[in-house]
Amino acid sequence: MHGTPLPPHAAHPATRRSRPADPSLKRLRARRLPWVALLWTCMVLGLAAAPVARAQQAPSFAAGGLTVCTNPTLPPMTFVNGTDGSDLAGVDIDVSRRLGAYWHVPVTFVSMDFVGLFPSLEAGRCGMVISGVVRQAAREVKFDAVPYQPTSLVVVARAGTAHVTSMADLSGKVLAVESGTSYAARIAQENVALAAAGRPAIEIQQYPTEDQVVQQVLIGRAFAFVSQDVELAFRQTQLNGKVSVIFQPDYPEYRNFAIYIRKDARDRAALEGAIAALRDGGQMTPILQRWRIMPGGGDMQAGDQKAVSGFNWRTFAAALVSPAFARGAAITLAMAVLSHMTAIGLAVPMAMVMNGRDGMLKSAIRAYVALFRAAPTLLQLLFVWNALPQFLPVFRESWFTPFLAAWISLSINEAAYQVEINRAALQAIDPGQALAGDALGMTRMQVYRHIIFPQALRIALPPTINEFISLIKTTSLASVISLQELLAVTQINVARTFEFTEYYAAALIYYLLIVFFFLWVQKRIERRFAWADRLKATSHAAA
Amino acid sequence: MIEVRNLQKSYGDFAVLRNVSFTVARGEKIVILGPSGSGKSTLIRCFNRIEPHDAGEITIDGERIDQKTELTRLRCMVGMVFQNYNLFPHLTVLENCALPPRVVKGAGREDAEELAMNFLHRVNIADQARKYPIQLSGGQQQRVAIARALCMQPSVMLFDEPTAALDPEAVSGVADIMASLSADGMTTLCVTHEMGFARRIADRIIFMDQGRILESAPPEVFFTQPRTERARDFLSQMIRY
Ligand SMILES: Nc1ncnc2c1ncn2[C@@H]1O[C@H](COP(=O)(O)OP(=O)(O)OP(=O)(O)O)[C@@H](O)[C@H]1O
Ligand SMILES: [Mg+2]
């Protein structure tokens, strides 16, 4: 679908907050199966893939190339290695590449916010989702799941905390979980039991990214967090042994990471066969060793940066000047400027109609404004990116990039707000102005261009700049459709290194620079409005 | 020069102008008087077709004004000045006057500004050319508005209560300018509520009530011996003010 691998990025609070509650969008984590069971599974899978010659043939979802959707914020499964923000790494990435090699097809990765993964799979934007997502029955209603790696749920607290013997022991304590995952729902079930026993509930706090969850325990706000053994093992090197597992609940639905594909019995069999073949061919072990899921590997590429206490100025400075941050800021800026200019271009004629006589067109515009102001921006982005291709297949083609989709969505959304601003500004102009223009023989367009617009601009400018500044921040929602803007870059780096303050500060500097620049531009433009103020007009005329 | 025959206009059921007929000679100064709501503004707005009329006929210089009239050309021929001046606040005095010739007639910037300066001199306000309207007094603004209309070099000027927002001294300034216009052969139609002003500038008074012309007479006749009861009432009320 995309000509080149798209740069990865992560989610941020705004998108996660609006996550739908659909269980198919929830991440599940798993529990380690006994190795015996794994071996048995392998044998079964091996049998299923019996006609080996056919297994080499790419399944339909990988025909001509394997496109993989992933949310690279979950090391060691899928994450970004290095600061440039485009270097995907992890078990999931390696497994995908091996699958591509096995089927002799090129592999393309599309990284996006977690919320976007399954809608993208459904829309046909990618052939499979591999993103540290556990196998879960609820999700298998809509998709086929093929397990590739056993895992286990763990409850983790600060090092030195006494072990507990059951989830009920967490009664009354604060437990941090990643929002959008099914952990919260699972723990809510424990709370039902606790309530029945007349004991206080486990207090669940949800955070949008895994790294923030961990941070809550490190700073002491939460007693423990819920994670997976593989991830924790990886995190330990960054965390320097600051946390330890205090309990391993036995939840059957968190036992395996799975690859998800659209429902198709033959594809499923082919994928199962391929995974079994990789395993039998000894190709899985080096991957697991490499990412320290199995002992024996040594080549750990990430996690070598230790979380330091205090502010790491070097990280901060490196982030500030890194191409990834500069590129993220450039994308944020370009997206905001382009979308807002398009929005204004759309809104001005609509505002002119709104100030004219009643009619069909006016009612249509009113409906448009109401609709697009009511619907959350995030929903509009997801709709344009994921639902539109289902109605109109042309939007599935590679020309329809995330940038283009975000540009269209944000423009149409912003125009709905801008119509009101422009309409009010036009309405504020004394009708005598247009009358005078008419009486002087000007055409309608000349009256607008030379008389009304210049005056309306003065009235519309401050609320327009306000809208623009808020749009700069709204662009971060586009990370959900895999646009790698500034905040997405930040999250990816935080997920990789746990250096929150440094990367947040770097992002803040960029946002401040952008916003202050436009406030300065506003001041410059407002100087031209001296005519509206008697005193200023005098000094202006004297100058 | 101007001929009006059986002019009619209504807003919905409400007839604003009912069979209005009169003629104006070239260079004549007509003042239209009448109670509020009698249709004076509506009448003069029909001449530059800012209000299209429903029935009847208007001809200016032998040319019929109707839906086929090219508006730009008509409005170059018929200038208009408003009660509230309606200057463009975002433009300097000079730009206010130079903009219309530039955009409507396609004049070059320098030519337009030279023309504008001429007319600003004419109305005695050239020294304020670089100021913005907000910096001027009402009387000064009205003179700029007149200069702006003159820059289109019309042969007819319409004034709708040009002095209603002005103090007596400014009124007399505007009256002087209007007198000097007709000396150059400009035809003017002026709506006003100020009797002194009307008496001073008018060659002829047209008195309207309820969309009809009741009297049409030279000011010395109209003010001393009005023929209709309605005009007598009107005048006695005006004098009481
Ligand atoms: N656009 C309009 N729609 C409906 N009625 C209108 C409209 N314009 C004017 N009228 C009515 O037409 C009548 C004549 O209006 P017009 O402005 O011509 O009166 P006028 O003689 O100029 O009054 P004044 O001395 O108060 O300016 C008034 O009763 C007014 O309410
Ligand atoms: Mg009037």
Side-chain angles (χ1 to χ4, degrees):
Chain A
M1 45 170 294
H2 302 286
T4 52
L6 277 157
H9 70 287
H12 53 84
T15 68
R16 298 280 177 141
R17 232 182 285 127
S18 349
R19 255 183 206 186
D22 180 348
S24 75
L25 291 178
K26 293 189 176 177
R27 187 195 305 231
L28 294 168
R29 308 264 160 94
R31 175 190 181 274
R32 192 189 303 270
L33 278 175
W35 286 106
V36 191
L38 176 70
L39 278 174
W40 186 83
T41 311
C42 291
M43 281 161 59
V44 171
L45 295 181
L47 284 174
V52 174
R54 245 192 66 202
Q56 302 277 355
Q57 189 88 38
S60 72
F61 67 81
L66 176 61
T67 309
V68 179
C69 280
T70 192
N71 171 227
T73 57
L74 187 76
M77 302 309 285
T78 168
F79 66 111
V80 173
N81 215 359
T83 39
D84 86 337
S86 57
D87 186 12
L88 287 177
V91 175
D92 292 350
I93 308 307
D94 289 350
V95 168
S96 304
R97 293 209 171 106
R98 292 285 159 88
L99 283 173
Y102 180 75
W103 288 321
H104 303 292
V105 291
V107 181
T108 313
F109 291 96
V110 186
S111 54
M112 61 180 64
D113 189 273
F114 189 84
V115 191
L117 291 177
F118 285 94
S120 292
L121 179 60
E122 192 170 7
R125 294 193 171 281
C126 41
M128 67 182 223
V129 165
I130 181 167
S131 192
V133 187
V134 295
R135 179 179 193 175
Q136 192 211 22
R139 202 176 281 128
E140 285 182 86
V141 174
K142 264 191 121 166
F143 303 99
D144 277 336
V146 175
Y148 63 99
Q149 169 62 29
T151 177
S152 163
L153 205 67
V154 286
V155 176
V156 185
R158 278 206 274 190
T161 309
H163 286 223
V164 298
T165 52
S166 74
M167 288 301 277
D169 290 347
L170 297 171
S171 162
K173 302 228 159 67
V174 174
L175 194 65
V177 302
E178 190 181 342
S179 53
T181 67
S182 60
Y183 297 153
R186 189 64 190 78
I187 291 155
Q189 288 177 29
E190 301 284 351
N191 279 340
V192 173
L194 284 173
R199 300 182 60 188
I202 302 168
E203 196 184 314
I204 303 163
Q205 285 186 355
Q206 302 197 42
Y207 294 90
T209 52
E210 184 68 24
D211 43 274
Q212 291 190 54
V213 167
V214 178
Q215 185 74 350
Q216 300 315 309
V217 169
L218 291 181
I219 64 177
R221 181 176 293 134
F223 172 74
F225 66 87
V226 178
S227 184
Q228 278 153 315
D229 57 353
V230 280
E231 188 184 4
L232 188 74
F234 183 84
R235 291 290 197 204
Q236 282 294 11
T237 54
Q238 293 169 315
L239 295 170
N240 237 349
K242 284 183 190 158
V243 296
S244 63
V245 173
I246 56 165
F247 184 59
Q248 206 157 326
D250 183 19
Y251 292 148
E253 65 268 41
Y254 294 96
R255 281 181 188 150
N256 277 293
F257 287 124
I259 298 172
Y260 284 86
I261 55 174
R262 287 180 296 278
K263 267 204 178 300
D264 184 313
R266 284 174 62 180
D267 282 353
R268 182 199 169 102
L271 182 55
E272 284 169 345
I275 294 285
L278 293 184
R279 190 162 282 145
D280 295 347
Q283 294 197 47
M284 287 299 271
T285 309
I287 296 177
L288 300 179
Q289 285 175 339
R290 179 181 180 203
W291 300 110
R292 295 204 182 161
I293 291 170
M294 265 169 74
D299 172 28
M300 182 70 103
Q301 290 188 0
D304 45 6
Q305 283 164 283
K306 296 190 170 73
V308 288
S309 42
F311 193 84
N312 186 341
W313 286 98
R314 283 183 57 189
T315 306
F316 170 71
L320 264 189
V321 298
S322 70
F325 266 72
R327 190 163 172 273
I331 289 178
T332 291
L333 185 62
M335 178 58 66
V337 169
L338 279 175
S339 304
H340 207 182
M341 287 194 342
T342 312
I344 291 171
L346 294 171
V348 167
M350 286 196 281
M352 284 161 69
V353 173
M354 290 307 280
N355 270 354
R357 252 178 252 126
D358 285 340
M360 288 272 287
L361 203 52
K362 202 165 163 178
S363 311
I365 292 171
R366 213 173 274 134
Y368 156 78
V369 169
L371 179 69
F372 280 84
R373 280 168 60 161
T377 314
L378 180 62
L379 198 67
Q380 294 172 33
L381 276 165
L382 288 172
F383 185 88
V384 167
W385 185 241
N386 294 319
L388 215 52
Q390 297 190 1
F391 304 122
L392 302 162
V394 284
F395 289 109
R396 207 174 294 167
E397 289 164 22
S398 60
W399 60 267
F400 195 59
T401 58
F403 191 90
L404 190 58
W407 181 9
I408 291 174
S409 323
L410 294 178
S411 301
I412 294 176
N413 180 247
E414 187 56 39
Y417 292 89
Q418 198 67 40
V419 167
E420 275 305 299
I421 292 175
N422 292 0
R423 190 198 55 76
L426 289 179
Q427 204 170 40
I429 307 302
D430 171 16
Q433 292 289 308
L435 193 64
D438 287 344
L440 287 161
M442 295 189 191
T443 62
R444 205 89 289 256
M445 278 335 289
Q446 288 169 338
V447 167
Y448 269 113
R449 168 149 176 245
H450 296 286
I451 299 174
I452 297 184
F453 287 157
Q455 296 181 53
L457 175 65
R458 179 182 143 260
I459 298 165
L461 187 70
T464 301
I465 295 279
N466 266 351
E467 270 302 316
F468 178 72
I469 287 171
S470 118
L471 182 63
I472 288 172
K473 291 168 263 182
T474 306
T475 54
S476 61
L477 292 179
S479 65
V480 78
I481 63 168
S482 82
L483 187 75
Q484 205 199 6
E485 45 64 57
L486 185 51
L487 206 53
V489 173
T490 312
Q491 284 299 157
I492 282 174
N493 281 292
V494 170
R496 185 175 56 85
T497 61
F498 272 100
E499 292 177 295
F500 301 84
T501 345
E502 291 78 1
Y503 286 111
Y504 290 163
L508 182 66
I509 297 283
Y510 273 105
Y511 280 114
L512 288 180
L513 281 178
I514 294 172
V515 169
F516 285 152
F517 171 73
F518 281 98
L519 289 177
W520 175 79
V521 168
Q522 178 180 7
K523 279 271 170 307
R524 297 282 312 201
I525 300 176
E526 276 177 349
R527 266 198 229 160
R528 291 175 44 193
F529 298 144
W531 51 263
D533 183 300
R534 205 163 207 174
L535 284 173
K536 284 194 204 140
T538 309
S539 60
H540 186 81
Chain B
M1 160 103 199
I2 300 180
E3 253 191 273
V4 181
R5 220 174 301 135
N6 296 328
L7 194 67
Q8 293 182 28
K9 160 121 194 132
S10 10
Y11 291 113
D13 291 340
F14 178 68
V16 189
L17 299 176
R18 318 174 191 214
N19 279 324
V20 173
S21 303
F22 64 100
T23 57
V24 184
R26 182 176 304 279
E28 203 177 5
K29 287 170 289 179
I30 304 287
V31 167
I32 302 170
L33 295 178
S36 191
S38 54
K40 307 180 295 293
S41 297
T42 309
L43 174 63
I44 65 165
R45 284 169 181 219
C46 288
F47 291 111
N48 63 351
R49 220 176 150 73
I50 278 186
E51 293 285 358
H53 55 272
D54 300 336
E57 210 177 86
I58 304 176
T59 54
I60 299 178
D61 265 346
E63 210 174 310
R64 263 181 76 137
I65 310 302
D66 55 24
Q67 63 271 18
K68 278 176 267 167
T69 310
E70 199 210 316
L71 288 180
T72 304
R73 222 164 60 80
L74 170 66
R75 287 167 187 174
C76 288
M77 194 161 75
V78 182
M80 188 165 208
V81 173
F82 304 88
Q83 176 179 343
N84 297 319
Y85 334 125
N86 296 359
L87 292 181
F88 306 134
H90 61 297
L91 300 178
T92 62
V93 164
L94 183 64
E95 290 164 344
N96 259 276
C97 297
L99 177 77
R102 273 178 48 216
V103 306
V104 178
K105 292 183 165 175
R109 179 183 288 273
E110 277 179 21
D111 290 348
E113 289 189 352
E114 197 187 316
L115 181 80
M117 282 312 289
N118 275 343
F119 284 105
L120 288 171
H121 274 296
R122 176 99 195 257
V123 300
N124 261 325
I125 197 99
D127 52 331
Q128 312 285 339
R130 302 279 162 195
K131 289 193 178 171
Y132 285 98
I134 198 171
Q135 298 168 275
L136 304 185
S137 72
Q140 290 174 319
Q141 291 193 45
Q142 193 58 294
R143 279 186 277 155
V144 174
I146 295 171
R148 181 176 70 180
L150 292 175
C151 282
M152 299 302 288
Q153 295 170 300
S155 51
V156 179
M157 283 282 279
L158 309 171
F159 294 84
D160 195 348
E161 304 193 37
T163 59
L166 301 183
D167 60 78
E169 205 185 315
V171 171
S172 110
V174 170
D176 287 344
I177 292 167
M178 290 175 68
S180 80
L181 290 181
S182 72
D184 297 348
M186 178 78 73
T187 309
T188 60
L189 287 110
C190 177
V191 174
T192 185
H193 282 283
E194 287 194 54
M195 297 306 126
F197 178 73
R199 205 193 283 258
R200 190 170 150 199
I201 62 165
D203 295 328
R204 186 151 54 100
I205 303 278
I206 287 180
F207 177 72
M208 287 185 72
D209 188 32
Q210 297 184 356
R212 278 183 242 273
I213 295 182
L214 297 190
E215 297 200 26
S216 170
E220 55 279 10
V221 177
F222 177 77
F223 284 112
T224 52
Q225 36 203 292
R227 281 185 293 113
T228 58
E229 186 75 22
R230 197 70 194 83
R232 269 196 295 279
D233 281 357
F234 176 77
L235 283 174
S236 68
Q237 269 182 10
M238 282 296 150
I239 286 154
R240 232 182 284 143
Y241 265 105

